[in-house]
């Protein structure tokens, strides 16, 4: 069975240390490459979809979370307040209150809407020690989050656009949703008490799901405390299901924070807040990618995309020249030379690298690369520029395919 914790250690992607604390993993160089590449992918996809990126602090005054409702409904999952003089501040459990403040930092017109604010931001959850594990349950989280402030008439289209963005990302990452869930409130005092707003938000999300054509089921007790949500569920190799991506429609926080926009009639109106996360937390996304692909990441996401394998020491200088050329083209490439073992041993060691290039005396003399693909295919000896150009095209095109169709 593929376990991301074992794979993460074996591949040198991440680890933990008791002096840092449970649920606080650190990223090693290759893991940092995967994380950075994933974050840049998301930022690029969001920019193309009309999002604007912001930064906000990981701390907030207790009063902020009292206004948002987190303190009343979510405090058991928050770290205790820290005393700063006469004030209490907390590590944030969510980014939405901060984005609400950014929205209301100045007057807004209907002409600005929808306003799509995105952030890859840190947040903290006070998870019990018994549930912590690897990257799936952690206490410090890097969340791919966004909040769309829009008119009520724009909410369905914006939520549908977010769901489509999630679908495209899954295709590029080579993963799939196991099911879609409409998460509704359950019993008890976990949820804000405003039945009319719950009904309104639920009706809009059902409209989004029905229009998208995906099958879904409604489940009570899984909503956020402030509103219903669409949860995109994934399943790990052991059959355990979890939520990776979400889309939510929220009428509660715009009201709590007094958010307004000036409409075409010159009057003030209340916006709707659409919460959405394309890949959820970076930690959980990487954990799922590791288990889904067994460490054989799609070419564009792989820590090393090309390894050049000189057969003998006479080819090492040429191998390093090829790597410099590959790096100039934006590829992540390295040399694994004969001093590191036999050619067979080096090929086995590079089994998860998408592209291997064997460089013998003939290839070096003729300016060729004998390419081997991770899946066992051999495109054959190609001119260096041609081989690197084709690899670069696959990387830039993203997706999981290693080579162009035959």
């Amino acid at each position: 069975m593929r376990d991301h914790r074992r794979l993460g250690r074996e591949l040198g992607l991440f680890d933990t240390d008791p002096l840092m604390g449970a649920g606080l993993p650190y990223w090693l160089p290759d893991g940092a490459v995967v994380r950075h590449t994933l974050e840049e992918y998301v930022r690029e996809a969001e920019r193309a979809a009309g999002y604007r990126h912001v930064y906000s602090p990981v701390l907030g005054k207790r009063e902020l979370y009292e206004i948002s409702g987190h303190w009343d409904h979510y405090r058991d999952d928050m770290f205790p307040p820290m005393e700063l003089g006469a004030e209490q501040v907390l590590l944030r459990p969510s980014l939405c209150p901060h984005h609400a403040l950014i929205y209301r930092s100045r007057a807004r017109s209907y002409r600005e809407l929808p306003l799509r604010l995105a952030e890859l931001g840190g947040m903290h959850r006070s998870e019990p020690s018994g549930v912590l594990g690897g990257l799936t349950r952690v206490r410090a989280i890097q969340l791919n989050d966004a909040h769309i402030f829009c008119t009520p008439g724009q909410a369905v289209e914006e939520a549908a656009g977010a769901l489509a963005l999630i679908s495209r990302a899954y295709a590029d990452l080579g993963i799939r949703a196991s099911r879609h869930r409409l998460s509704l409130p359950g019993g008890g005092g976990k949820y804000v008490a405003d039945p009319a707003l719950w009904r309104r938000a639920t009706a809009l999300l059902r409209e989004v799901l029905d229009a998208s054509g995906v099958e879904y089921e409604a489940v009570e007790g899984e909503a956020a405390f402030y509103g219903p949500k669409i949860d995109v569920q994934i399943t790990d190799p052991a059959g355990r299901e979890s939520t990776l991506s979400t889309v939510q429609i929220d009428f509660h926080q715009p009201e709590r924070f007094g958010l307004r926009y000036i409409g075409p009639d010159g009057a003030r109106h209340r916006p709707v807040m659409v919460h959405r996360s394309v890949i959820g937390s970076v930690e959980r996304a990487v954990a799922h990618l590791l288990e889904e692909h067994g460490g054989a990441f799609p070419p564009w996401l792989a820590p090393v995309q090309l390894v050049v394998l000189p057969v003998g020491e006479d080819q090492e200088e040429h191998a390093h020249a090829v790597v410099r050329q590959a790096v100039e083209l934006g590829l992540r490439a390295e040399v694994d030379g004969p001093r590191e073992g036999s050619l067979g041993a080096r090929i086995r060691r590079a089994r998860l690298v998408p592209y291997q290039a064997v460089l013998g005396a003939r290839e070096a003399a003729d300016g060729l690369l004998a390419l081997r693909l991770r899946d066992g295919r051999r495109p054959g000896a190609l001119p260096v520029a041609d081989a690197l150009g084709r690899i670069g095209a696959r990387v830039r095109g993203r997706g999981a395919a290693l080579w162009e169709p035959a």
Side-chain angles (χ1 to χ4, degrees):
M1 182 185 300
R2 295 170 177 173
D3 185 322
H4 81 276
R5 294 167 296 184
R6 177 182 58 79
L7 287 167
R9 288 190 297 270
E10 289 178 357
L11 301 178
L13 301 181
F14 66 91
D15 212 332
T16 58
D17 191 291
L19 283 178
M20 290 190 190
L24 299 169
Y26 58 85
W27 297 82
L28 296 163
D30 278 356
V33 168
V34 174
R35 171 174 164 168
H36 177 79
T37 304
L38 186 58
E39 290 175 350
E40 283 303 298
Y41 165 78
V42 170
R43 288 192 181 99
E44 182 183 321
E46 288 172 337
R47 284 193 294 268
Y51 288 81
R52 306 187 70 184
H53 290 92
V54 298
Y55 290 104
S56 58
V58 297
L59 293 171
K61 291 172 63 174
R62 173 175 161 173
E63 181 184 358
L64 171 62
Y65 305 111
E66 289 174 340
I67 293 171
S68 70
H70 285 83
W71 185 251
D72 288 339
H73 298 277
Y74 202 73
R75 77 173 77 174
D76 290 344
D77 295 300
M78 297 170 65
F79 282 97
M82 295 174 278
E83 303 289 340
L84 286 180
E87 295 180 342
Q88 287 188 332
V89 297
L90 298 106
L91 289 166
R92 67 177 173 194
S94 180
L95 280 69
C96 45
H98 296 247
H99 288 188
L101 294 184
I102 291 173
Y103 176 87
R104 79 172 196 184
S105 62
R106 64 175 180 81
R108 304 286 180 178
S109 164
Y110 74 96
R111 294 185 179 88
E112 297 177 68
L113 306 184
L115 177 63
R116 308 179 185 101
L117 299 180
E119 181 175 2
L120 273 156
M123 65 182 197
H124 296 78
R125 302 274 172 90
S126 181
E127 298 277 13
S129 297
V131 304
L132 297 173
L135 296 177
T136 53
R137 294 293 290 269
V138 294
R139 287 172 170 160
I141 302 164
Q142 194 74 12
L143 187 68
N144 159 230
D145 207 6
H147 299 92
I148 304 166
F149 300 89
C150 60
T151 68
Q154 295 168 333
V156 168
E157 182 178 356
E158 289 301 313
L163 202 58
L165 194 59
I166 291 168
S167 179
R168 288 197 297 273
Y170 281 28
D172 287 341
L173 292 167
I175 61 178
R176 63 181 184 84
S178 54
R179 69 182 178 119
H180 290 71
R181 184 178 73 193
L182 176 59
S183 295
L184 304 174
K190 176 183 174 182
Y191 306 99
V192 297
D194 196 327
L197 291 186
W198 280 97
R199 287 194 297 270
R200 188 179 178 195
T202 300
L204 292 177
L205 287 180
R206 285 189 184 277
E207 187 177 340
V208 171
L209 286 164
D210 291 339
S212 71
V214 299
E215 294 184 7
Y216 68 94
E217 57 184 307
V219 178
E220 293 186 355
E222 297 293 339
F225 73 83
Y226 49 80
K229 57 194 174 99
I230 298 170
D231 286 326
V232 183
Q233 302 296 101
I234 55 172
T235 302
D236 69 14
R240 295 175 297 231
E241 186 181 270
S242 60
T243 301
L244 185 61
S245 313
T246 61
V247 180
Q248 307 165 35
I249 290 181
D250 178 10
F251 292 99
H252 170 73
Q253 291 196 65
E255 185 173 310
R256 297 276 292 195
F257 282 99
L259 305 185
R260 302 283 187 179
Y261 66 91
I262 304 301
D265 57 358
R268 296 196 302 173
H269 299 268
R270 183 87 68 209
V272 178
M273 195 171 175
V274 177
H275 306 235
R276 55 105 287 220
S277 180
V278 173
I279 60 164
S281 78
V282 173
E283 291 79 10
R284 179 167 288 180
V286 172
H288 186 65
L289 285 164
L290 262 173
E291 295 184 348
E292 181 74 18
H293 298 299
F297 292 105
W300 64 273
L301 196 55
V304 177
Q305 294 162 329
L306 168 68
V307 62
V308 181
L309 304 163
V311 174
E313 293 183 12
D314 291 345
Q315 292 86 49
E316 282 195 271
E317 183 178 345
H318 188 63
H320 284 285
V322 170
V323 164
R324 287 193 295 271
Q325 189 174 341
V327 170
E328 288 174 359
L329 292 173
L331 297 173
R332 296 187 288 273
E334 61 184 36
V335 174
D336 193 359
R339 295 180 184 86
E340 305 303 321
S342 68
L343 180 60
R346 287 180 282 146
I347 288 173
R348 288 191 295 274
R349 188 162 56 238
R351 68 191 183 282
L352 297 179
V353 177
Y355 306 99
Q356 304 167 10
V358 177
L359 192 63
R362 184 178 70 84
E363 287 83 13
D366 295 342
L368 302 173
L369 290 180
L371 284 182
R372 304 167 62 101
L373 307 186
R374 181 174 58 199
D375 60 11
R377 286 181 290 163
R378 300 189 185 191
L382 297 170
V384 171
D386 187 14
L388 296 182
R390 293 192 190 194
I391 293 171
R394 301 314 302 175
V395 169
R396 289 190 299 273
R398 299 198 173 96
L402 289 173
W403 206 246
E404 63 263 30

